[in-house]
Amino acid sequence: MTKREISRRGVLKGSLMASALAGTASYFGPWKENRVWAQGAAKPIKLGLTCDASGQYGNSGQDDLRGIQMAIDEANAKGGVLGRKVTWITADTETTPATGSRIAERFITREDCTILIGAVHSGVANAITQVAAKNGVIYLNTNSSAPSEAGENCSRIKFVWDGNGTNFSKASVKNAVDSIGKNWMLLTNDYVWGHTTSAATKAQVEGAGGKIMDNLLVPQNTRDFTAYLLKIQQAKPDVVATAIGGDDIKALREQVAQLKLDGKPAWINNQQDWPDVWGAPNSLFGVFGTTWYHKLALPGVAEFVKKWQATNKEGSIPVPGNVSYNGYMATRELLRAIERAGSTNNIKIIKELENLKVSATDRMQHFDAYMDPVTHQMQQTIYLARRNAKPSDNTDLYEIISWTEPKAAADTDAQAKCKLTPYEQVPTVDS
Amino acid sequence: MIPTQQSDSVRLITPTMLVLFLVLATVPLWIARAGLYPYLGIEILIWSLYALAFNLVLGTAGLPSFGHGAYFGIGAYAFGLCQFNVVANLWICLAAAFAVAGLAGALVALFISHRRGIYYAFMTIAFGQIFWTLAIKSHKVTGGEDGLLKIARLPADLGFASFDLAGNVAFYYFVLIVFGLAVIALWRLVHSPYGRVIAAIKQSEIRAAHLGYNVWLYKASIFTLSAAVSGFAGGLFAMAQLAAFPDVMSLHQSGYVVMMTLVGGGLVSFWGPVVGVFLFLIARDVIGALTNAWMLYFGLLFIAVVLFRPEGVAGAVTAAWQNRSLHSMRQQGGSALRLLFGGERWR
Amino acid sequence: MFDLLPHILNGLTLGLLFALIALGFMLIVGLMEQINLAHGSLFALGAYFAMQLMGPRPPFPSDVAHAWLAMPLGWRYVATLILAPAAVGVVGIAIEFCMRRTYGKDPLYGLLLTFGAAMVIEEMIRLTWGTRDYVLQVPQGVSGGFLFGDLIWSTYRFYAAGIAVAIIGLVWLLIEKTSFGATVKAGAHDSEIVRALGINLTRLRLLVFVFGTMLAAIAGIIVAPIWGIRPHMGVDAVIPAFLVIVLGGVGSFWGAVVAGLLVGLAVGLSGAYASEWSLLSMYVLLVAVVTVRARGLWGKKSVLEA
């Protein structure tokens, strides 16, 4: 009899203690947050930065974060957006879709973030998109270059700021089939970016009269490429096209360079991200794509580099690359769009972004860029590069061999595959 | 047997359960003010159900399963695949999650139920890894490492009324009701004659076999049941996340549920797993916000519990509130405690 | 058939590495009847310590560090092969002290404790070194490639396989041909008699455990240049390790070696046909063998059979 009463009391006390604990804990404030909010000032605009800090794309995620923060600081230095300060919060999405989903949920429901920014891994981007779309929250996919992001995985609330696998394939493949050879082998990272990029490459190769000998799937976080390199040596293709990213491509490059396989066959590495290149500069080989390079001979580039370096003195990467650049551009254009829309109503911002046009000078690229209103992907200049045989300093790793205008590299199939929800069906978000 | 008050074990709904349900029902009202959010409440309920199902095998039957995440994950995938390929009905898809995970559990149980102890643990890990690898590799079916996306929170259609579960608070109440029903069922199971036989098998398989019980069948059936309920929880999780991911099936995350259950006191208390889940997820959210090292602290806590307090939080609390020393608890308490402190002599 | 030859060779070298990885684990299971799930994390720790020692900021006072860095890479590498496992051995001592409370209880306790230790060590690695990938430098002589039969092979891989053979041989000699080895085997077989003979069983257990952890560390250092260094690398080691043990059978030294080769062959051959399934092949092999011979290929009755 008595024992039962005590255990009931025990449960009550326990739950009271727990809730008290949870309540006190809330005053510590979660995550790394920038809370600058004077009394009586206008309510700040809060951005949720969903960047990887660990896993296959941890390095790129952090570089993405640097670019995004630079754009936010610039806007705040000019007095904020619509007279309101821009604040942000970030958490590690661990290059894992499940974590991305959880963090998006937290940012939206607990942190009241108006807009989410940031992704490198397309799986993570998709998981975040689902949660954001459910709530009507705008999401900027800064650096994930899966063609499906602008195709079957597009969304009314999502905007893609990186060139994707199809763009880079279009810029590189036809030329390579004509000048190097018709027999191609594909190495594909086993997730959505890998698959869709390799599918795009295959379409391009076959369209140019070439042949795909084999498509080898490489699980994520593979380090030992011996079996694959043996198979490649046995098959003797003319070209190997890789859709491998993050730490995996670094490992692959090291091993290929060690075995001196970088000459024959020819390697086309789709897009290479600056953090992956900088991580192993001596093993850079083949032809690859990028959306920007810090030594482009264009107005504004040098100043941008200096500004970036001023805020990133202790980092491990000394100059900005495409990842930081995409993060910066996405955030800058978003904040400008909010200013033009005159409000933080999500539909108004979406409509502003859908009609976005940025001049070449403003983009620090060779051609004007514009947002495709049907697929929500930014169409921009596509650069092809290879290892610089005559670098001017130790950061000058690329030799830019060509620049393609957006229309020529555009993914013409994406528009058919992308079905956006009508405006009326998107939940309204306004802060 | 897990020590319980004699009168409580014959009840359908115990006072502890009532209080717990009442408290949980009020959670959405104050959770935001406590610095948390309804989605966390949903996660806690779902993982609690999963941990309770897991504890059927670890605490009630004394069998160490280190690859249980596989069934949680399989349930999630089954829910999603049922929704896309069979019929988008909430009840049918949840039943599918239960059935498919149960089937997987039955398959594994066939291979391992003749053993116990370390060998059993090894094989559960191996099978867990097989399922995890299959989930990651079959990307045409499961979406691979990207997960199975676009799973919807199907409406709860009871014939006379239909409830939309898209919002977090509505979904929380749905999960709470399901959780409550499942807890009542599990409580009855553990305290039924079937449950007593399982407890007897945990104490000594030889004795139970001598008494004429088909030990293999009991061990296989409890594992299958545990896998099925874990899969059911997985189906709920798929709805919560709007997707099914392979991560929960990994060895790492299968280890999480072992840690939660042990720290909470699952070896000696029915409610241990719930306490453990609560501690773990709150720690992840609150401490994880302050430092990246929260897993380190939880791991150290786990080691301390294994070394010094294997009866876990629930065990320690029960002993304290009942004003009994742990020593007297060990005398009176079930074979779990004898197992912990007696070693070979008690087998 | 000739096409498969490179893959078979690849599989055999991989198999020797698996056998090396499983060695420390196997000794602890066989001789102490304890499952050390922390084996993977100690494997990783060995690689990290080695990387730190070889790298630009070795943990020595600055004048010692200067002298150290001035040494040629080859000498530093050899010294690291001795120093890093010793450091991991110290961690092993700490774990063994904790494990003492679990002796005599259900071996499940040792399992849970080492599982907790594995998580703690992995988190500490993550906190100390971050989550990025590191590379272990190796001397010029063993890196790069060589041409053999129209294909380019990685020199390091063969060097690593050679070292694995050497270490396996040395350990076998130690266990079978020395009096220390005899004492250890006796202690596993019948601890009461060993104690009655006046041998300090506690110290013996400590030595065996530490030896096992040091073997884990050496395996980590040898395999690191092939698998890369990241916090999660321990899992890639502990899973094959216990697969090899269960497959080969507990208590059989050569069983573990042969099992390692079989696992390596399975992975290597499946790498030739369907590379993305090569991980799964390990588990399928395990299930197949265990269904037919529950104790593994050469297993004796052991702690696994409870």
Side-chain angles (χ1 to χ4, degrees), chain B residues 176-219:
Chain B
L176 181 60
I177 294 172
V178 168
F179 173 76
L181 293 170
V183 161
I184 294 173
L186 286 175
W187 177 271
R188 281 279 19 102
L189 183 81
V190 168
H191 294 100
S192 66
Y194 173 81
R196 282 176 223 277
V197 176
I198 299 278
I201 290 176
K202 175 172 152 183
Q203 276 196 36
S204 167
E205 284 194 23
I206 299 179
R207 242 183 279 160
H210 244 314
L211 289 169
Y213 290 110
N214 184 340
V215 171
W216 187 94
L217 197 61
Y218 276 94
K219 284 164 77 178

Side-chain angles (χ1 to χ4, degrees), chain B:
Chain B
M1 159 158 67
I2 293 177
T4 329
Q5 312 305 335
Q6 186 58 26
S7 47
D8 270 358
S9 63
V10 305
R11 285 166 175 273
L12 186 63
I13 301 180
T14 66
T16 322
M17 267 191 227
L18 268 177
V19 171
L20 186 65
F21 295 156
L22 280 171
V23 170
L24 288 174
T26 64
V27 158
L29 303 172
W30 48 264
I31 195 160
R33 241 163 292 158
L36 302 167
Y37 47 103
Y39 186 73
L40 188 64
I42 296 174
E43 270 192 294
I44 290 179
L45 282 180
I46 293 177
W47 278 76
S48 294
L49 185 58
Y50 167 38
L52 281 170
F54 168 72
N55 205 30
L56 283 178
V57 169
L58 182 68
T60 316
L63 298 167
S65 170
F66 275 17
H68 232 70
Y71 315 106
F72 189 54
I74 288 177
Y77 282 114
F79 183 90
L81 291 170
C82 167
Q83 185 194 312
F84 297 142
N85 302 318
V86 180
V87 58
N89 178 300
L90 178 68
W91 314 111
I92 295 184
C93 290
L94 279 178
F98 182 88
V100 174
L103 206 64
L107 199 64
V108 174
L110 277 177
F111 280 97
I112 62 178
S113 298
H114 56 291
R115 299 300 201 91
R116 59 185 306 117
I118 306 292
Y119 186 95
Y120 196 91
F122 267 12
M123 293 305 282
T124 57
I125 296 182
F127 279 104
Q129 288 292 103
I130 290 180
F131 285 125
W132 174 71
T133 312
L134 281 173
I136 289 194
K137 291 299 156 205
S138 335
H139 62 260
K140 282 200 185 35
V141 175
T142 62
E145 297 204 49
D146 303 311
L148 191 64
L149 297 174
K150 299 200 177 73
I151 295 181
R153 291 185 190 170
L154 301 168
D157 189 351
L158 295 167
F160 52 87
S162 179
F163 298 95
D164 176 28
L165 300 176
N168 278 343
V169 175
F171 190 63
Y172 174 86
Y173 282 115
F174 174 73
V175 173
L176 181 60
I177 294 172
V178 168
F179 173 76
L181 293 170
V183 161
I184 294 173
L186 286 175
W187 177 271
R188 281 279 19 102
L189 183 81
V190 168
H191 294 100
S192 66
Y194 173 81
R196 282 176 223 277
V197 176
I198 299 278
I201 290 176
K202 175 172 152 183
Q203 276 196 36
S204 167
E205 284 194 23
I206 299 179
R207 242 183 279 160
H210 244 314
L211 289 169
Y213 290 110
N214 184 340
V215 171
W216 187 94
L217 197 61
Y218 276 94
K219 284 164 77 178
S221 58
I222 193 79
F223 190 85
T224 307
L225 200 60
S226 166
V229 180
S230 300
F232 183 79
L236 291 172
F237 200 48
M239 278 203 283
Q241 288 184 115
L242 303 175
F245 297 112
D247 308 69
V248 290
M249 301 170 75
S250 67
L251 177 64
H252 215 75
Q253 296 219 12
S254 292
Y256 286 172
V257 75
V258 178
M259 283 177 45
M260 291 183 212
T261 307
L262 211 83
V263 167
L267 286 178
V268 302
S269 159
F270 180 82
W271 297 108
V274 179
V275 174
V277 167
F278 186 78
L279 281 173
F280 184 88
L281 290 180
I282 299 284
R284 184 188 70 184
D285 227 71
V286 172
I287 302 179
L290 302 174
T291 160
N292 274 330
W294 79 272
M295 194 64 217
L296 177 69
Y297 299 132
F298 202 84
L300 287 169
L301 175 67
F302 175 70
I303 291 181
V305 166
V306 169
L307 284 178
F308 304 113
R309 285 278 176 272
E311 61 273 6
V313 170
V317 165
T318 320
W321 281 112
Q322 289 171 357
N323 267 331
R324 297 191 292 182
S325 71
L326 285 170
H327 183 74
S328 75
M329 241 193 118
R330 288 163 202 175
Q331 305 287 39
Q332 191 248 22
S335 63
L337 293 167
R338 273 187 228 124
L339 194 79
L340 305 182
F341 300 101
E344 284 300 306
R345 280 182 292 149
W346 300 99
R347 315 205 94 246

Side-chain angles (χ1 to χ4, degrees), chain A residues 356-375:
Chain A
L356 187 64
K357 291 191 196 343
V358 186
S359 72
T361 341
D362 210 1
R363 284 285 292 191
M364 295 180 283
Q365 289 175 322
H366 277 77
F367 296 102
D368 295 341
Y370 58 94
M371 181 70 71
D372 182 331
V374 178
T375 64

Side-chain angles (χ1 to χ4, degrees), chain A residues 3 10 12 36 41 61-62 69 98 102 104 122 142 163 190 225 262 278 287 301 314 342 348 353 402 413 418:
Chain A
K3 290 183 182 158
L12 266 175
V36 182
Q62 292 304 287
Q69 286 171 337
R102 192 160 54 85
S122 46
T142 47
D190 200 354
F225 287 90
D262 43 345
W278 185 255
V287 170
V301 173
E314 337 81 40
K348 293 209 179 104
L353 285 175
S402 75
D413 300 321
C418 175

Side-chain angles (χ1 to χ4, degrees), chain C residues 4-25:
Chain C
L4 277 182
L5 218 53
H7 293 281
I8 293 177
L9 204 52
N10 183 29
L12 285 174
T13 50
L14 198 59
L16 283 169
L17 293 174
F18 280 138
L20 176 66
I21 293 171
L23 205 59
F25 190 72

